[in-house]
Amino acid sequence: MADFEAIVVGAGCAGSVAAYELARSGKSVLLIERGNYAGAKNMTGGRIYSHSLAKVFPDFEQEAPLERKITHEKISLLAPDACFTVDFSSEAMLAPNSDSYSVLRAPFDQWLASKAEEAGAEAIYGIAVESLVKDETGKVIGVKAGEDEITADVVLLCDGVNSLLTKQAVGAARPPASGIAVGIKQTIELPPSVITDRVLSGSDEEGAAWLFAGDATKGTFGGGFAYTNKSSISIGLVAGIEATMNHGRAPVYQMLEDFKQHPAIAPLIAGGKVVEHSGHMVPEGGLSIMPPLVGDGVLLAGESAMMCINLGYQVRGMDFAIAAGMHAGREAARALSAGDTSAQGLQGYTAALENCFVMQDLRQFSKVPSFMEGFHRMFDGYPQAIRDIMNTMFVVDGEPVRPLKKNLKPVLGQIGVVNMARDAMGAMKAL
Ligand SMILES: Cc1cc2nc3c(=O)[nH]c(=O)nc-3n(C[C@H](O)[C@H](O)[C@H](O)COP(=O)(O)OP(=O)(O)OC[C@H]3O[C@@H](n4cnc5c(N)ncnc54)[C@H](O)[C@@H]3O)c2cc1C
Protein backbone atom coordinates (compact mmCIF):
# COMPACT_ATOMS: atom_id res chain seq x y z
CA MET A 1 0.00 0.00 0.00
CA ALA A 2 1.27 3.49 -0.89
CA ASP A 3 2.17 6.04 1.82
CA PHE A 4 -0.44 8.50 0.45
CA GLU A 5 -3.17 8.29 -2.14
CA ALA A 6 -1.82 11.48 -3.75
CA ILE A 7 1.32 13.61 -3.62
CA VAL A 8 1.21 17.19 -4.89
CA VAL A 9 4.57 18.79 -5.74
CA GLY A 10 4.62 22.58 -5.27
CA ALA A 11 2.40 24.77 -3.06
CA GLY A 12 1.72 27.54 -5.59
CA CYS A 13 -1.72 28.40 -6.99
CA ALA A 14 -2.12 25.08 -8.82
CA GLY A 15 -0.68 22.83 -6.10
CA SER A 16 -2.53 24.17 -3.07
CA VAL A 17 -5.86 24.14 -4.91
CA ALA A 18 -5.26 20.57 -6.17
CA ALA A 19 -4.35 19.43 -2.63
CA TYR A 20 -7.46 21.22 -1.27
CA GLU A 21 -9.74 19.41 -3.75
CA LEU A 22 -8.16 16.01 -3.04
CA ALA A 23 -8.39 16.49 0.74
CA ARG A 24 -11.99 17.67 0.46
CA SER A 25 -12.79 14.44 -1.39
CA GLY A 26 -11.45 12.50 1.59
CA LYS A 27 -8.19 11.39 -0.06
CA SER A 28 -4.93 11.23 1.85
CA VAL A 29 -2.68 13.84 0.27
CA LEU A 30 0.82 15.14 0.89
CA LEU A 31 1.76 18.62 -0.38
CA ILE A 32 5.54 19.11 -0.77
CA GLU A 33 6.97 22.63 -1.20
CA ARG A 34 10.66 23.43 -1.56
CA GLY A 35 10.28 26.95 -0.12
CA ASN A 36 10.31 27.36 3.66
CA TYR A 37 6.67 28.39 3.42
CA ALA A 38 4.08 28.66 0.64
CA GLY A 39 4.73 31.82 -1.34
CA ALA A 40 8.42 32.02 -0.39
CA LYS A 41 9.57 31.36 -3.96
CA ASN A 42 6.55 32.47 -5.95
CA MET A 43 6.25 35.53 -8.06
CA THR A 44 3.62 37.33 -10.01
CA GLY A 45 3.11 40.79 -11.45
CA GLY A 46 0.30 40.69 -9.82
CA ARG A 47 -3.27 40.75 -10.64
CA ILE A 48 -5.52 37.76 -10.29
CA TYR A 49 -8.74 37.46 -12.27
CA SER A 50 -11.22 36.15 -9.71
CA HIS A 51 -13.42 33.82 -11.79
CA SER A 52 -11.53 30.57 -11.12
CA LEU A 53 -10.80 31.39 -7.47
CA ALA A 54 -14.53 32.00 -6.94
CA LYS A 55 -15.33 28.49 -8.23
CA VAL A 56 -13.15 26.90 -5.54
CA PHE A 57 -13.70 29.42 -2.72
CA PRO A 58 -17.01 31.25 -3.21
CA ASP A 59 -16.26 33.40 -0.11
CA PHE A 60 -12.74 34.35 -1.21
CA GLU A 61 -13.49 38.08 -1.04
CA GLN A 62 -14.03 37.86 2.72
CA GLU A 63 -11.19 35.41 3.40
CA ALA A 64 -8.31 35.85 0.96
CA PRO A 65 -5.53 38.40 1.55
CA LEU A 66 -6.38 40.51 -1.49
CA GLU A 67 -4.73 43.88 -1.97
CA ARG A 68 -6.90 46.23 -4.09
CA LYS A 69 -9.81 45.65 -6.44
CA ILE A 70 -8.66 46.68 -9.92
CA THR A 71 -10.87 49.55 -11.05
CA HIS A 72 -8.49 51.13 -13.58
CA GLU A 73 -6.88 49.41 -16.56
CA LYS A 74 -4.03 51.51 -17.87
CA ILE A 75 -1.97 50.84 -20.98
CA SER A 76 0.94 53.04 -21.95
CA LEU A 77 3.18 53.36 -24.97
CA LEU A 78 6.53 54.59 -23.72
CA ALA A 79 9.04 56.47 -25.81
CA PRO A 80 12.24 57.44 -23.98
CA ASP A 81 10.91 60.96 -23.43
CA ALA A 82 7.13 60.56 -23.63
CA CYS A 83 4.24 58.44 -22.42
CA PHE A 84 0.85 57.90 -24.08
CA THR A 85 -1.68 56.31 -21.73
CA VAL A 86 -5.16 54.88 -22.11
CA ASP A 87 -7.00 54.67 -18.79
CA PHE A 88 -10.10 52.51 -18.90
CA SER A 89 -12.68 51.78 -16.22
CA SER A 90 -16.04 50.12 -16.61
CA GLU A 91 -18.87 48.65 -14.55
CA ALA A 92 -18.49 45.36 -16.45
CA MET A 93 -15.02 44.65 -15.11
CA LEU A 94 -16.22 45.10 -11.53
CA ALA A 95 -19.01 42.52 -11.66
CA PRO A 96 -18.61 39.25 -9.72
CA ASN A 97 -16.56 36.75 -11.76
CA SER A 98 -15.30 39.54 -14.05
CA ASP A 99 -13.47 41.42 -11.32
CA SER A 100 -9.78 41.18 -10.52
CA TYR A 101 -7.50 42.03 -7.59
CA SER A 102 -3.88 42.85 -7.01
CA VAL A 103 -2.17 40.27 -4.79
CA LEU A 104 1.16 39.68 -3.12
CA ARG A 105 2.14 36.05 -3.37
CA ALA A 106 3.65 35.50 0.08
CA PRO A 107 0.40 36.14 2.01
CA PHE A 108 -1.84 34.90 -0.81
CA ASP A 109 -0.08 31.54 -1.24
CA GLN A 110 0.08 30.98 2.52
CA TRP A 111 -3.66 31.47 2.67
CA LEU A 112 -4.24 29.03 -0.22
CA ALA A 113 -1.98 26.40 1.40
CA SER A 114 -3.77 26.89 4.74
CA LYS A 115 -7.08 26.07 2.99
CA ALA A 116 -5.55 22.75 1.79
CA GLU A 117 -4.23 21.97 5.27
CA GLU A 118 -7.55 22.86 6.94
CA ALA A 119 -9.27 20.48 4.51
CA GLY A 120 -6.95 17.69 5.69
CA ALA A 121 -3.87 17.79 3.43
CA GLU A 122 -0.50 17.18 5.07
CA ALA A 123 2.13 19.70 4.03
CA ILE A 124 5.91 19.70 4.29
CA TYR A 125 7.99 22.78 3.53
CA GLY A 126 11.66 23.35 2.85
CA ILE A 127 12.19 20.11 0.93
CA ALA A 128 12.52 19.82 -2.84
CA VAL A 129 11.36 16.79 -4.78
CA GLU A 130 14.47 15.68 -6.67
CA SER A 131 13.04 12.91 -8.84
CA LEU A 132 10.08 10.67 -9.42
CA VAL A 133 9.88 7.02 -8.43
CA LYS A 134 8.56 4.63 -11.09
CA ASP A 135 7.63 0.95 -11.06
CA GLU A 136 8.90 -1.60 -13.58
CA THR A 137 6.17 -0.61 -16.09
CA GLY A 138 7.23 3.05 -15.98
CA LYS A 139 4.23 4.20 -13.95
CA VAL A 140 4.97 7.01 -11.48
CA ILE A 141 4.48 5.64 -7.96
CA GLY A 142 6.04 8.32 -5.79
CA VAL A 143 8.76 10.90 -5.30
CA LYS A 144 12.26 11.14 -3.93
CA ALA A 145 12.81 14.11 -1.65
CA GLY A 146 16.06 14.35 0.28
CA GLU A 147 16.78 10.95 1.82
CA ASP A 148 13.13 9.92 1.64
CA GLU A 149 11.22 7.95 -0.94
CA ILE A 150 7.49 8.58 -0.50
CA THR A 151 4.96 6.58 -2.49
CA ALA A 152 1.49 7.50 -3.76
CA ASP A 153 -1.12 6.20 -6.21
CA VAL A 154 -0.96 9.44 -8.15
CA VAL A 155 1.51 12.36 -8.27
CA LEU A 156 0.40 15.86 -9.30
CA LEU A 157 3.21 18.02 -10.66
CA CYS A 158 2.43 21.66 -9.83
CA ASP A 159 6.05 22.74 -9.58
CA GLY A 160 5.92 25.74 -11.88
CA VAL A 161 7.61 26.98 -15.02
CA ASN A 162 11.12 25.61 -14.62
CA SER A 163 10.06 22.08 -13.72
CA LEU A 164 12.90 19.61 -13.50
CA LEU A 165 10.43 16.74 -13.19
CA THR A 166 8.23 16.96 -16.30
CA LYS A 167 10.85 15.26 -18.51
CA GLN A 168 10.89 12.24 -16.21
CA ALA A 169 7.10 12.32 -15.86
CA VAL A 170 5.93 12.67 -19.46
CA GLY A 171 9.11 13.02 -21.54
CA ALA A 172 8.68 16.80 -21.96
CA ALA A 173 11.54 18.57 -23.72
CA ARG A 174 13.07 21.70 -22.18
CA PRO A 175 11.25 24.72 -23.66
CA PRO A 176 13.20 26.79 -26.22
CA ALA A 177 14.54 30.23 -25.21
CA SER A 178 12.02 31.78 -27.62
CA GLY A 179 9.15 30.38 -25.51
CA ILE A 180 10.38 31.74 -22.18
CA ALA A 181 10.67 35.26 -20.83
CA VAL A 182 12.30 36.55 -17.70
CA GLY A 183 10.37 38.65 -15.20
CA ILE A 184 11.92 41.01 -12.66
CA LYS A 185 10.02 42.98 -10.03
CA GLN A 186 10.36 45.27 -7.05
CA THR A 187 7.74 45.95 -4.42
CA ILE A 188 7.90 49.58 -3.36
CA GLU A 189 6.23 50.65 -0.13
CA LEU A 190 4.23 53.89 0.01
CA PRO A 191 1.35 55.19 2.16
CA PRO A 192 -2.04 53.90 0.87
CA SER A 193 -3.50 57.37 0.26
CA VAL A 194 -0.42 58.44 -1.73
CA ILE A 195 -0.89 55.41 -4.02
CA THR A 196 -4.61 56.16 -4.40
CA ASP A 197 -3.92 59.79 -5.31
CA ARG A 198 -1.16 58.94 -7.78
CA VAL A 199 -3.28 56.55 -9.85
CA LEU A 200 -6.48 58.52 -9.30
CA SER A 201 -8.47 55.56 -8.00
CA GLY A 202 -11.56 56.25 -5.93
CA SER A 203 -10.45 54.90 -2.55
CA ASP A 204 -7.67 52.97 -0.81
CA GLU A 205 -9.55 49.75 -1.65
CA GLU A 206 -9.37 50.42 -5.39
CA GLY A 207 -6.36 50.27 -7.65
CA ALA A 208 -4.83 50.05 -11.07
CA ALA A 209 -3.28 47.45 -13.34
CA TRP A 210 -0.85 49.25 -15.63
CA LEU A 211 1.05 47.74 -18.56
CA PHE A 212 3.74 49.48 -20.64
CA ALA A 213 5.18 48.75 -24.10
CA GLY A 214 8.22 50.34 -25.68
CA ASP A 215 10.96 51.93 -23.65
CA ALA A 216 10.27 49.74 -20.58
CA THR A 217 12.28 47.00 -22.34
CA LYS A 218 14.40 49.43 -24.41
CA GLY A 219 12.33 48.78 -27.50
CA THR A 220 12.75 45.00 -27.48
CA PHE A 221 10.11 42.27 -27.06
CA GLY A 222 8.50 42.49 -23.61
CA GLY A 223 6.86 45.09 -21.43
CA GLY A 224 6.69 46.80 -18.09
CA PHE A 225 4.02 46.61 -15.40
CA ALA A 226 2.84 48.38 -12.27
CA TYR A 227 0.14 47.07 -9.95
CA THR A 228 -1.09 48.99 -6.93
CA ASN A 229 -1.34 47.06 -3.67
CA LYS A 230 -2.74 48.40 -0.39
CA SER A 231 0.51 49.99 0.76
CA SER A 232 2.95 49.20 -2.02
CA ILE A 233 3.35 49.27 -5.77
CA SER A 234 4.61 46.19 -7.61
CA ILE A 235 6.72 47.43 -10.48
CA GLY A 236 8.68 45.37 -12.96
CA LEU A 237 9.08 44.10 -16.46
CA VAL A 238 9.01 40.93 -18.51
CA ALA A 239 11.55 40.56 -21.32
CA GLY A 240 11.79 37.78 -23.91
CA ILE A 241 14.94 35.75 -23.25
CA GLU A 242 15.80 35.21 -26.92
CA ALA A 243 15.03 38.83 -27.84
CA THR A 244 17.16 40.09 -24.95
CA MET A 245 20.03 37.75 -25.93
CA ASN A 246 19.92 38.71 -29.62
CA HIS A 247 18.80 42.33 -29.63
CA GLY A 248 19.05 43.34 -25.96
CA ARG A 249 20.12 46.92 -25.46
CA ALA A 250 20.72 46.50 -21.73
CA PRO A 251 20.75 43.74 -19.11
CA VAL A 252 17.33 43.15 -17.59
CA TYR A 253 18.26 44.59 -14.17
CA GLN A 254 19.41 47.81 -15.90
CA MET A 255 16.15 47.95 -17.89
CA LEU A 256 14.26 47.94 -14.58
CA GLU A 257 16.44 50.68 -13.08
CA ASP A 258 15.97 52.82 -16.21
CA PHE A 259 12.22 52.09 -16.29
CA LYS A 260 11.96 53.35 -12.69
CA GLN A 261 13.73 56.57 -13.74
CA HIS A 262 11.42 57.20 -16.73
CA PRO A 263 9.68 60.58 -16.38
CA ALA A 264 6.27 58.85 -16.39
CA ILE A 265 7.23 56.27 -13.74
CA ALA A 266 9.50 58.16 -11.34
CA PRO A 267 6.66 60.31 -9.88
CA LEU A 268 4.57 57.17 -9.31
CA ILE A 269 7.14 55.62 -6.97
CA ALA A 270 8.85 58.77 -5.66
CA GLY A 271 9.63 58.59 -1.94
CA GLY A 272 8.89 54.84 -1.84
CA LYS A 273 11.05 52.18 -0.20
CA VAL A 274 12.01 48.95 -2.01
CA VAL A 275 10.93 46.13 0.31
CA GLU A 276 11.18 43.16 -2.05
CA HIS A 277 13.10 42.27 -5.20
CA SER A 278 12.37 39.11 -7.18
CA GLY A 279 12.96 37.42 -10.52
CA HIS A 280 11.24 34.49 -12.22
CA MET A 281 10.75 32.87 -15.60
CA VAL A 282 7.48 33.31 -17.52
CA PRO A 283 6.34 30.71 -20.08
CA GLU A 284 5.11 32.70 -23.05
CA GLY A 285 5.25 30.08 -25.79
CA GLY A 286 1.66 29.00 -25.09
CA LEU A 287 0.24 25.87 -26.60
CA SER A 288 3.33 25.23 -28.76
CA ILE A 289 5.45 24.40 -25.70
CA MET A 290 2.79 22.61 -23.66
CA PRO A 291 3.87 19.09 -22.62
CA PRO A 292 1.45 16.13 -22.38
CA LEU A 293 -0.78 16.79 -19.38
CA VAL A 294 -1.10 13.22 -18.20
CA GLY A 295 1.12 10.15 -17.88
CA ASP A 296 0.80 6.86 -16.02
CA GLY A 297 0.32 7.83 -12.36
CA VAL A 298 1.01 11.51 -12.96
CA LEU A 299 -0.60 14.75 -14.11
CA LEU A 300 0.63 18.30 -14.66
CA ALA A 301 -1.17 21.53 -13.72
CA GLY A 302 -0.31 25.24 -13.95
CA GLU A 303 3.00 26.49 -15.26
CA SER A 304 4.69 23.08 -15.08
CA ALA A 305 2.41 22.58 -18.12
CA MET A 306 3.16 26.12 -19.46
CA MET A 307 -0.38 27.39 -18.81
CA CYS A 308 0.12 31.14 -19.15
CA ILE A 309 -0.69 33.84 -21.68
CA ASN A 310 0.74 37.32 -22.15
CA LEU A 311 -1.21 39.39 -24.66
CA GLY A 312 0.58 42.65 -23.92
CA TYR A 313 -2.63 44.13 -22.53
CA GLN A 314 -3.45 41.13 -20.36
CA VAL A 315 -1.24 38.71 -18.39
CA ARG A 316 -2.86 35.53 -17.09
CA GLY A 317 -1.34 32.58 -15.30
CA MET A 318 -2.86 32.45 -11.83
CA ASP A 319 -6.45 31.97 -13.01
CA PHE A 320 -5.20 29.17 -15.30
CA ALA A 321 -3.20 27.55 -12.47
CA ILE A 322 -6.18 27.67 -10.07
CA ALA A 323 -8.62 26.22 -12.62
CA ALA A 324 -6.14 23.52 -13.66
CA GLY A 325 -5.37 22.72 -10.00
CA MET A 326 -9.09 22.41 -9.28
CA HIS A 327 -9.69 20.02 -12.18
CA ALA A 328 -6.48 18.08 -11.48
CA GLY A 329 -7.49 17.57 -7.84
CA ARG A 330 -11.07 16.59 -8.69
CA GLU A 331 -10.15 14.24 -11.54
CA ALA A 332 -7.30 12.62 -9.58
CA ALA A 333 -9.78 12.00 -6.73
CA ARG A 334 -12.23 10.46 -9.22
CA ALA A 335 -9.50 8.22 -10.68
CA LEU A 336 -8.45 7.14 -7.17
CA SER A 337 -12.04 6.21 -6.32
CA ALA A 338 -12.28 4.23 -9.56
CA GLY A 339 -8.99 2.48 -8.75
CA ASP A 340 -7.34 3.49 -12.03
CA THR A 341 -4.61 6.12 -12.00
CA SER A 342 -3.07 5.05 -15.31
CA ALA A 343 -2.81 7.67 -18.06
CA GLN A 344 -6.11 6.30 -19.36
CA GLY A 345 -7.76 6.54 -15.93
CA LEU A 346 -6.64 10.18 -15.61
CA GLN A 347 -7.99 11.29 -18.99
CA GLY A 348 -10.96 12.97 -17.27
CA TYR A 349 -8.48 15.77 -16.43
CA THR A 350 -7.62 16.58 -20.05
CA ALA A 351 -11.31 16.39 -20.95
CA ALA A 352 -12.19 18.82 -18.13
CA LEU A 353 -9.55 21.30 -19.31
CA GLU A 354 -10.77 21.01 -22.91
CA ASN A 355 -14.29 21.85 -21.75
CA CYS A 356 -13.32 25.03 -19.94
CA PHE A 357 -11.44 28.25 -20.69
CA VAL A 358 -8.02 26.73 -19.95
CA MET A 359 -7.49 24.86 -23.23
CA GLN A 360 -9.97 26.98 -25.17
CA ASP A 361 -8.18 30.27 -24.38
CA LEU A 362 -4.72 28.76 -24.88
CA ARG A 363 -5.89 27.55 -28.30
CA GLN A 364 -7.56 30.89 -29.12
CA PHE A 365 -4.31 32.74 -28.42
CA SER A 366 -1.92 30.12 -29.79
CA LYS A 367 -0.67 32.47 -32.53
CA VAL A 368 0.04 35.36 -30.17
CA PRO A 369 3.58 34.36 -29.08
CA SER A 370 4.95 34.20 -32.65
CA PHE A 371 3.01 37.33 -33.68
CA MET A 372 4.29 39.35 -30.70
CA GLU A 373 7.86 38.26 -31.27
CA GLY A 374 7.74 39.49 -34.86
CA PHE A 375 5.88 42.68 -33.91
CA HIS A 376 9.04 44.81 -33.40
CA ARG A 377 7.27 48.06 -34.23
CA MET A 378 5.06 47.67 -31.13
CA PHE A 379 8.17 48.06 -28.98
CA ASP A 380 10.31 50.28 -31.20
CA GLY A 381 8.31 52.34 -33.71
CA TYR A 382 4.73 52.93 -32.60
CA PRO A 383 5.63 54.47 -29.20
CA GLN A 384 7.80 57.09 -30.97
CA ALA A 385 5.22 57.63 -33.73
CA ILE A 386 2.44 58.19 -31.18
CA ARG A 387 4.71 60.62 -29.30
CA ASP A 388 5.36 62.58 -32.49
CA ILE A 389 1.66 62.70 -33.39
CA MET A 390 0.76 63.88 -29.88
CA ASN A 391 3.51 66.49 -30.01
CA THR A 392 2.03 67.91 -33.21
CA MET A 393 -1.31 68.23 -31.42
CA PHE A 394 -0.26 69.51 -28.02
CA VAL A 395 2.99 71.44 -28.40
CA VAL A 396 2.28 75.14 -28.97
CA ASP A 397 5.47 77.17 -29.28
CA GLY A 398 4.47 80.38 -31.02
CA GLU A 399 5.77 79.23 -34.41
CA PRO A 400 3.10 79.42 -37.16
CA VAL A 401 1.03 76.22 -37.04
CA ARG A 402 1.33 73.81 -39.97
CA PRO A 403 -1.75 71.85 -41.12
CA LEU A 404 -2.12 68.59 -39.17
CA LYS A 405 -1.84 66.41 -42.30
CA LYS A 406 1.53 67.99 -43.11
CA ASN A 407 2.78 67.17 -39.64
CA LEU A 408 1.41 63.64 -39.70
CA LYS A 409 2.84 62.66 -43.09
CA PRO A 410 6.50 62.27 -42.03
CA VAL A 411 5.51 60.52 -38.79
CA LEU A 412 3.33 57.95 -40.53
CA GLY A 413 5.95 57.68 -43.26
CA GLN A 414 8.49 56.41 -40.70
CA ILE A 415 6.39 53.28 -40.20
CA GLY A 416 4.78 53.02 -43.62
CA VAL A 417 1.13 52.52 -44.44
CA VAL A 418 1.76 48.99 -45.72
CA ASN A 419 3.51 48.02 -42.47
CA MET A 420 0.64 49.48 -40.44
CA ALA A 421 -1.90 47.49 -42.46
CA ARG A 422 0.25 44.36 -42.07
CA ASP A 423 0.48 44.85 -38.30
CA ALA A 424 -3.28 45.40 -38.01
CA MET A 425 -3.99 42.24 -40.02
CA GLY A 426 -1.47 40.25 -37.93
CA ALA A 427 -3.06 41.45 -34.70
CA MET A 428 -6.55 40.57 -35.95
CA LYS A 429 -5.43 37.05 -36.84
CA ALA A 430 -3.58 36.45 -33.56
CA LEU A 431 -6.13 37.98 -31.20
C1 LIG B 1 6.92 38.81 -13.67
C2 LIG B 1 5.66 38.01 -13.71
C3 LIG B 1 4.45 38.65 -13.81
C4 LIG B 1 3.27 37.92 -13.83
N1 LIG B 1 2.08 38.58 -13.82
C5 LIG B 1 0.93 37.88 -13.71
C6 LIG B 1 -0.31 38.55 -13.49
O1 LIG B 1 -0.36 39.77 -13.32
N2 LIG B 1 -1.44 37.79 -13.46
C7 LIG B 1 -1.42 36.43 -13.56
O2 LIG B 1 -2.48 35.80 -13.49
N3 LIG B 1 -0.25 35.77 -13.73
C8 LIG B 1 0.91 36.45 -13.78
N4 LIG B 1 2.10 35.78 -13.89
C9 LIG B 1 2.08 34.32 -14.00
C10 LIG B 1 1.71 33.64 -12.68
O3 LIG B 1 2.46 34.18 -11.64
C11 LIG B 1 1.95 32.14 -12.79
O4 LIG B 1 1.26 31.67 -13.93
C12 LIG B 1 1.46 31.34 -11.59
O5 LIG B 1 2.17 31.70 -10.44
C13 LIG B 1 1.63 29.86 -11.85
O6 LIG B 1 1.22 29.14 -10.71
P1 LIG B 1 1.76 27.68 -10.47
O7 LIG B 1 1.09 27.19 -9.24
O8 LIG B 1 1.64 26.87 -11.71
O9 LIG B 1 3.35 27.84 -10.25
P2 LIG B 1 4.13 28.59 -9.11
O10 LIG B 1 3.33 29.66 -8.50
O11 LIG B 1 5.44 28.94 -9.69
O12 LIG B 1 4.31 27.46 -7.99
C14 LIG B 1 5.19 26.38 -8.15
C15 LIG B 1 5.61 25.94 -6.77
O13 LIG B 1 6.35 24.72 -6.85
C16 LIG B 1 7.47 24.80 -6.00
N5 LIG B 1 8.46 23.85 -6.50
C17 LIG B 1 9.15 23.92 -7.68
N6 LIG B 1 9.94 22.84 -7.83
C18 LIG B 1 9.75 22.08 -6.73
C19 LIG B 1 10.28 20.82 -6.31
N7 LIG B 1 11.15 20.14 -7.07
N8 LIG B 1 9.89 20.32 -5.11
C20 LIG B 1 9.00 21.01 -4.33
N9 LIG B 1 8.46 22.19 -4.68
C21 LIG B 1 8.81 22.71 -5.88
C22 LIG B 1 7.89 26.26 -6.07
O14 LIG B 1 8.71 26.64 -4.98
C23 LIG B 1 6.55 26.96 -6.10
O15 LIG B 1 6.07 27.23 -4.82
C24 LIG B 1 3.30 36.49 -13.83
C25 LIG B 1 4.54 35.83 -13.73
C26 LIG B 1 5.70 36.58 -13.63
C27 LIG B 1 7.01 35.85 -13.44
Side-chain angles (χ1 to χ4, degrees):
M1 192 172 135
D3 299 323
F4 290 87
E5 286 175 289
I7 291 174
V8 179
V9 183
C13 293
S16 288
V17 168
Y20 169 80
E21 291 290 347
L22 278 154
R24 228 167 53 105
S25 308
K27 307 299 177 197
S28 66
V29 49
L30 176 66
L31 176 62
I32 306 178
E33 166 57 44
R34 66 179 173 171
N36 288 335
Y37 54 88
K41 293 191 176 285
N42 308 70
M43 182 181 169
T44 195
R47 167 249 290 272
I48 185 164
Y49 291 96
S50 76
H51 60 98
S52 51
L53 191 59
K55 286 211 172 69
V56 186
F57 305 110
D59 296 329
F60 76 94
E61 258 185 312
Q62 284 80 54
E63 292 182 41
L66 304 168
E67 293 294 317
R68 293 183 183 228
K69 187 164 181 146
I70 300 300
T71 55
H72 284 259
E73 300 281 349
K74 290 170 178 262
I75 300 210
S76 292
L77 289 181
L78 275 193
D81 55 344
C83 176
F84 174 82
T85 301
V86 174
D87 183 336
F88 179 70
S89 53
S90 102
E91 300 263 309
M93 68 189 207
L94 307 180
N97 279 332
S98 311
D99 51 358
S100 64
Y101 297 83
S102 52
V103 287
L104 292 166
R105 290 297 293 271
F108 184 75
D109 285 28
Q110 284 177 72
W111 171 75
L112 266 188
S114 76
K115 297 302 286 183
E117 289 185 67
E118 279 164 23
E122 260 183 64
I124 47 174
Y125 298 101
I127 291 184
V129 169
E130 284 148 24
S131 59
L132 301 176
V133 181
K134 292 184 172 180
D135 68 10
E136 63 288 350
T137 68
K139 181 176 192 248
V140 174
I141 54 162
V143 302
K144 199 162 180 311
E147 293 302 301
D148 297 321
E149 207 171 275
I150 314 168
T151 56
D153 299 312
V154 64
V155 173
L156 289 79
L157 290 186
C158 303
D159 50 337
V161 55
N162 194 23
S163 173
L164 303 175
L165 303 169
T166 53
K167 182 168 193 297
Q168 214 190 337
V170 291
R174 299 289 291 161
S178 60
I180 302 287
V182 60
I184 176 170
K185 167 180 137 178
Q186 290 183 351
T187 309
I188 298 181
E189 221 168 59
L190 281 161
S193 61
V194 170
I195 296 171
T196 304
D197 291 346
R198 287 183 183 176
V199 294
L200 300 178
S201 49
S203 74
D204 294 352
E205 305 300 311
E206 297 176 21
W210 198 343
L211 298 177
F212 302 82
D215 198 54
T217 46
K218 303 277 175 209
T220 51
F221 175 58
F225 59 81
Y227 295 95
T228 57
N229 306 310
K230 277 194 179 118
S231 54
S232 63
I233 294 179
S234 297
I235 190 152
L237 54 90
V238 174
I241 288 183
E242 196 176 62
T244 308
M245 277 177 351
N246 295 342
H247 315 288
R249 294 168 190 170
V252 173
Y253 60 85
Q254 188 60 50
M255 283 183 192
L256 179 58
E257 283 312 311
D258 292 348
F259 180 47
K260 285 167 57 189
Q261 302 296 326
H262 190 281
I265 302 302
L268 183 68
I269 53 173
K273 180 174 159 211
V274 177
V275 290
E276 192 185 303
H277 189 110
S278 53
H280 210 275
M281 289 182 183
V282 191
E284 296 201 328
L287 213 53
S288 68
I289 56 168
M290 181 177 261
L293 298 176
V294 165
D296 272 339
V298 66
L299 39 81
L300 278 56
E303 281 195 351
S304 60
M306 306 292 166
M307 295 171 183
C308 186
I309 52 174
N310 183 354
L311 304 180
Y313 57 88
Q314 198 183 81
V315 184
R316 292 171 62 192
M318 289 186 283
D319 59 333
F320 281 82
I322 287 171
M326 179 189 84
H327 288 299
R330 289 181 185 176
E331 294 306 322
R334 213 161 278 155
L336 284 166
S337 297
D340 181 5
T341 54
S342 67
Q344 188 58 38
L346 293 169
Q347 280 307 328
Y349 172 55
T350 41
L353 293 188
E354 285 291 348
N355 286 330
C356 74
F357 76 90
V358 173
M359 290 308 292
Q360 292 176 22
D361 286 3
L362 281 165
R363 198 159 283 123
Q364 169 68 28
F365 295 120
S366 61
K367 295 197 180 80
V368 169
S370 59
F371 167 69
M372 289 302 261
E373 222 161 317
F375 193 14
H376 306 296
R377 285 179 286 273
M378 186 65 217
F379 312 105
D380 191 9
Y382 288 117
Q384 293 87 340
I386 294 285
R387 172 201 58 198
D388 294 345
I389 290 170
M390 292 294 138
N391 277 341
T392 67
M393 291 168 64
F394 296 115
V395 176
V396 177
D397 58 7
E399 291 296 316
V401 174
R402 289 178 0 133
L404 190 61
K405 66 171 184 247
K406 273 207 170 156
N407 279 334
L408 290 186
K409 221 170 157 188
V411 177
L412 298 178
Q414 284 163 23
I415 293 187
V417 177
V418 174
N419 283 336
M420 281 194 281
R422 199 175 284 149
D423 290 341
M425 288 296 288
M428 299 289 264
K429 275 191 199 149
L431 299 170

